[in-house]
Amino acid sequence: MRETVDPKMADHSIEDVWRRLERQSQWMPAQLYYQFEELLSLHLEQPILNELYQVLKKYDVLTDIERDERNESIQMLIDENGA
């Protein structure tokens, strides 16, 4: 299930997304983490950066089932955006 991003939310920089990814990396499957890193090396538009930031939000406190769902959302974003 893909989360929708509220257009009124603050924009997040690539640095914000990198920092959040690093903080959440220990809970993320290694392969997904490496794909996420690869995606962040591409030029991404602001709405995608915001969406990536949101899918990482509170990743560490999710249940296993919620994390699996979030991983699917992350994988969709990776597949849709070129990594």
Side-chain angles (χ1 to χ4, degrees), residues 4-17:
T4 58
V5 176
D6 183 347
K8 297 175 188 166
M9 288 185 175
D11 286 340
H12 298 285
S13 69
I14 187 78
E15 292 82 12
D16 292 338
V17 179

Side-chain angles (χ1 to χ4, degrees), residues 27-76:
W27 292 280
M28 186 175 285
Q31 183 61 30
L32 190 63
Y33 172 80
Y34 295 128
Q35 287 179 303
F36 204 119
E37 269 191 329
E38 187 178 326
L39 179 62
L40 289 179
S41 71
L42 304 174
H43 175 74
L44 300 171
E45 295 186 14
Q46 190 61 59
I48 300 303
L49 290 173
N50 293 343
E51 198 164 350
L52 292 170
Y53 186 89
Q54 290 302 314
V55 297
L56 291 171
K57 197 172 185 177
K58 298 184 181 181
Y59 186 88
D60 56 329
V61 298
L62 297 173
T63 66
D64 289 341
I65 292 170
E66 291 169 326
R67 195 169 292 132
D68 287 343
E69 290 172 355
R70 189 75 60 92
N71 289 346
E72 288 178 22
S73 295
I74 292 169
Q75 189 65 58
M76 270 198 316

